[in-house]
Amino acid sequence: MVDSWERARGALVAAGLPPGRLVGLRAMTGGTYNTVEELLLTDGGRYVLKVPPAETVPGLRHERRLLVSEADFYRAAERAGVTAPKVVGSGEHHLLMTACPGDPWDDSLTPAEQACLREELGRQVARLHRVTGTGFGYPSGALGPPAADWRTAFTAMTDAVLDDARRYRARLPRPADEVARTLGTAHHVLDEITVPRLVHFDLWRGNILVDHSAGVPRIGGLIDGERMFWGDPAADFVSLALLGDIEKDEAFLASYREAGGRAAFDASGRLRLALYRSYLYLIMLTESVPREFGAEQNQWLQDTVAPELDAALREIEESAAV
């Protein structure tokens, strides 16, 4: 078995860097899928190395080749001028990137600081959403080649996670077949999306680093871009207001729109958001089985996430009944 030091040195060599620059390693926690380590260099620099689990480790269908998607996200973010890690080296089985300053966004910030950060975040996300792709779906190819239209891509994405839910016997608030039928009644609104745009899809506060080094908190980096896909930028609003309502985030939306982002909350826009909420909450509930979450985490999922999935499905049903 390859140990951490050998793996880190190998990643440096693959990136064309001298392995002798490595002087320290530190395991990074917080994720539930990849192995993540911080590499400390002789010049004081820091890199982050991600390595996926063995192929025999259970996971969801869309999680194959996640690091390919993450590398694509960071390269696109760099082109867009968005604060994010920069790819140093990548391959099928590793991703080496620069480390961003700061710590995950937490509750220590004052309301004024939070509002300023939400404004900065709105501008950054608007820049992300200006980046376009050549097809819809996951760039990793985990669910097949890019689709020519968003309805085809998103249907494949939801079908895959529902297949996972059946396979793992995940505890959902409704049977998987019923969920599939309900989602299908709203798929027509996906045809309104004709340009594939960059979507992070995991922009909850834990993946937004806040840098305090200049005195005034600033965004240090948007990280963990492994869940990215090409699709409807409105899908990012789900994790940006995880288990909440993005329409109440006035600071974010004002700066997002000022920076050129489009955020429409008409009947069609809200119906698409209900679809995207359903997709994210299905992932959260289903991944708990192969991840072998503990009793406390599973209880939180059933108490908090399952009702939100059911509410999103009810919203779709009510729309179809009008």
Side-chain angles (χ1 to χ4, degrees):
M1 180 180 293
V2 178
D3 68 22
S4 293
W5 280 85
E6 184 179 347
R7 182 170 59 205
R9 289 192 183 100
L12 289 172
V13 170
L17 299 170
R21 291 180 60 190
L22 181 66
V23 295
L25 275 179
R26 182 177 69 89
M28 303 180 73
T29 60
T32 60
Y33 191 72
N34 296 299
T35 296
V36 186
E37 295 170 323
E38 182 182 49
L39 281 58
L40 307 176
L41 308 181
T42 53
D43 61 359
R46 298 181 302 136
Y47 289 152
V48 173
L49 176 63
K50 274 193 173 185
V51 179
E55 293 183 0
T56 55
V57 173
L60 305 188
R61 281 180 55 196
H62 77 275
E63 291 178 326
R64 293 193 298 271
R65 303 180 76 234
L66 278 180
L67 296 185
V68 172
S69 295
E70 186 161 8
D72 281 359
F73 175 81
Y74 294 141
R75 292 185 179 110
E78 184 175 10
R79 293 196 303 272
V82 169
T83 306
K86 292 180 172 54
V87 175
V88 177
S90 65
E92 187 78 13
H93 302 295
H94 81 281
L95 173 61
L96 184 65
M97 67 196 101
T98 59
C100 290
D103 299 297
W105 190 320
D106 60 25
D107 293 328
S108 65
L109 300 162
T110 68
E113 289 172 334
Q114 298 236 26
C116 287
L117 282 171
R118 296 305 290 185
E119 290 174 359
E120 183 182 1
L121 182 62
R123 293 188 290 271
Q124 297 242 5
V125 174
R127 289 200 291 273
L128 277 184
H129 291 168
R130 287 200 288 268
V131 182
T132 59
T134 57
F136 291 93
Y138 289 109
S140 65
L143 301 182
D149 63 90
W150 180 223
R151 188 201 289 221
T152 298
F154 188 73
T155 300
M157 291 158 64
T158 52
D159 285 349
V161 75
L162 285 168
D163 284 346
D164 289 326
R166 297 183 186 97
R167 176 162 53 104
Y168 289 122
R169 298 183 179 180
R171 186 179 170 191
L172 304 179
R174 305 185 186 192
D177 289 349
E178 180 182 337
V179 173
R181 287 193 297 272
T182 299
L183 296 178
T185 64
H187 282 167
H188 60 281
V189 297
L190 301 172
D191 293 337
E192 298 177 15
I193 306 304
T194 58
V195 178
R197 298 188 181 275
L198 185 64
V199 178
H200 184 289
F201 204 59
D202 202 11
L203 282 174
W204 69 293
R205 296 197 311 174
N207 287 337
I208 303 169
L209 299 183
V210 178
D211 180 16
H212 296 265
S213 61
V216 178
R218 299 294 304 275
I219 291 177
L222 306 183
I223 62 171
D224 285 351
E226 61 195 16
R227 307 287 172 176
M228 72 83 69
F229 55 76
W230 299 102
D232 181 359
D236 262 338
F237 295 159
V238 178
S239 59
L240 282 162
L242 188 61
L243 302 171
D245 183 356
I246 192 67
E247 288 190 69
K248 297 179 181 178
D249 194 341
E250 297 177 1
F252 171 86
L253 288 174
S255 63
Y256 178 78
R257 287 169 170 142
E258 287 170 4
R262 297 185 61 186
F265 300 108
D266 53 11
S268 174
R270 289 194 176 94
L271 189 53
R272 295 202 316 274
L273 280 176
L275 287 171
Y276 307 147
R277 290 202 309 276
S278 298
Y279 181 55
L280 180 58
Y281 301 151
L282 281 168
I283 291 174
M284 294 173 70
L285 291 167
T286 302
E287 70 181 4
S288 66
V289 182
R291 300 283 198 283
E292 297 182 341
F293 288 168
E296 184 177 350
Q297 177 72 356
N298 279 318
Q299 191 61 54
W300 177 83
L301 287 168
Q302 292 304 314
D303 291 345
T304 306
V305 178
E308 290 293 337
L309 171 57
D310 192 58
L313 295 170
R314 286 200 311 272
E315 185 174 338
I316 294 170
E317 289 169 337
E318 290 166 3
S319 176
V322 174

